[in-house]
Amino acid sequence: MTGENNSGGFVADKDDIHRTKRPSIDTNDSNSSRFSGESQKPKIGPPPGTYVIELPKNQIFRVPPPENAHRYEYLSRRKPNQTSCRRCFCYSLTAVLILLVLAAAAVGILFLVYRPQKPQFSVSGFSVAGINLTSSSPITPVIEAKVRSQNGNGNIGLIYVEGIAAEVFYNGTKLGNGVFAALKQPAKNVTVMTTALKGSRIQLTSSLRKELTESQKKGKVPFNLRIEAPVKFKVGAVTTWTMTVKVDCKITVDKLTASATVITEICDTGLSLL
């Protein structure tokens, strides 16, 4: 009885012990594991002594990779220079275009209001020396030409700048060249310009010598005089840019001497605005 009671009591006491201890053990284990797990989790955030600075997205600058850093630096240095040069070029081009438009407008008004006329030319004298047709040696011609320039404009003056070039030909062969002096020609004025056209050691072919000889015998020796004259039109205080007057004169003289007389002459005058 006592043993059974003891055993029964023991068993009962043992079960009671197990029942009372199991929850406490489980509770302690779960709590300890939970707290230990939480303590072992890595904390999210900057380590101690670190500062976090938040910037707006539009203030974040991109940093090029190291292999492109040198090129980025080179381009960033060049860009301002290129931009300034491009800006200067655009400004200069705009200024030139504006000047051209203003000049074209001024010339248009000038031509509409005053209707300028190109000058007219004629040859009043043409003496020849240095052409010996009796010898086959080279010739050294000296031809003195007197050219009349007539300005028929009533309110426009002419300014012939330096470089009035002249050339003389016989049957396509150039015999000499020269330059007229610069001059200013008022409105409604006629001015005579004189120059010496010279050639050096010009070898004439036998056929050309024969033609010259026959022409002199007939008293009709043809020459061709060409003139290119840079000229400006002047109206009051306004002066145009330099234009070019081109003159082509066909001349016939009676002989190849210093006392030659001009028999016929026809001059065609053209004006180039550029």
Side-chain angles (χ1 to χ4, degrees):
M1 292 293 290
T2 303
E4 290 177 0
N5 290 333
N6 292 339
S7 62
F10 176 78
V11 170
D13 293 339
K14 187 177 181 181
D15 292 339
D16 292 339
I17 293 172
H18 284 294
R19 279 198 299 270
T20 58
K21 285 186 177 180
R22 186 177 291 115
S24 64
I25 293 174
D26 293 341
T27 303
N28 292 335
D29 290 342
S30 60
N31 291 335
S32 62
S33 62
R34 179 163 56 85
F35 288 120
S36 63
E38 291 179 356
S39 62
Q40 291 177 1
K41 287 182 180 180
K43 295 182 179 180
I44 300 175
T50 302
Y51 297 91
V52 177
I53 301 175
E54 295 184 358
L55 293 176
K57 187 176 181 181
N58 58 356
Q59 296 184 9
I60 299 177
F61 299 94
R62 294 183 178 179
V63 179
E67 61 272 14
N68 294 335
H70 178 70
R71 179 172 178 80
Y72 174 78
E73 183 181 355
Y74 172 74
L75 293 176
S76 62
R77 276 202 316 267
R78 286 197 50 170
K79 190 173 181 180
N81 295 333
Q82 291 177 348
T83 303
S84 60
C85 291
R86 190 179 297 110
R87 188 181 297 111
C88 291
F89 174 77
C90 292
Y91 288 159
S92 301
L93 182 60
T94 303
V96 170
L97 291 177
I98 292 174
L99 291 176
L100 289 177
V101 171
L102 293 176
V107 172
I109 295 173
L110 176 70
F111 274 77
L112 288 175
V113 175
Y114 294 97
R115 297 185 181 276
Q117 303 175 9
K118 58 188 177 182
Q120 300 299 321
F121 290 82
S122 60
V123 180
S124 58
F126 201 83
S127 63
V128 183
I131 298 180
N132 184 6
L133 300 177
T134 61
S135 173
S136 59
S137 301
I139 61 173
T140 303
V142 178
I143 300 171
E144 185 177 290
K146 293 182 180 181
V147 179
R148 296 172 70 252
S149 172
Q150 181 179 355
N151 180 12
N153 296 285
N155 300 306
I156 302 176
L158 300 178
I159 302 175
Y160 291 96
V161 299
E162 293 183 0
I164 307 175
E167 296 176 324
V168 61
F169 298 84
Y170 174 78
N171 197 17
T173 300
K174 183 177 176 179
L175 299 180
N177 61 279
V179 178
F180 289 98
L183 62 96
K184 293 181 179 180
Q185 189 174 20
K188 294 293 183 180
N189 174 265
V190 176
T191 302
V192 177
M193 303 182 296
T194 304
T195 188
L197 310 172
K198 299 179 181 180
S200 177
R201 298 189 59 80
I202 299 172
Q203 184 65 56
L204 300 177
T205 62
S206 57
S207 60
L208 203 60
R209 286 178 180 276
K210 184 177 180 180
E211 288 180 12
L212 273 171
T213 303
E214 294 296 327
S215 297
Q216 186 171 218
K217 286 181 180 180
K218 294 178 182 179
K220 295 181 179 180
V221 184
F223 290 98
N224 184 228
L225 177 65
R226 297 175 186 172
I227 302 172
E228 285 195 8
V231 64
K232 296 180 181 180
F233 290 88
K234 180 176 176 59
V235 182
V238 178
T239 303
T240 67
W241 62 80
T242 302
M243 307 178 192
T244 303
V245 174
K246 295 183 178 182
V247 186
D248 189 0
C249 297
K250 298 185 185 318
I251 309 160
T252 303
V253 297
D254 58 349
K255 52 190 174 184
L256 298 176
T257 64
S259 59
T261 302
V262 177
I263 300 173
T264 62
E265 58 90 20
I266 300 175
C267 292
D268 182 22
T269 304
L271 178 64
S272 176
L273 299 180
L274 300 178

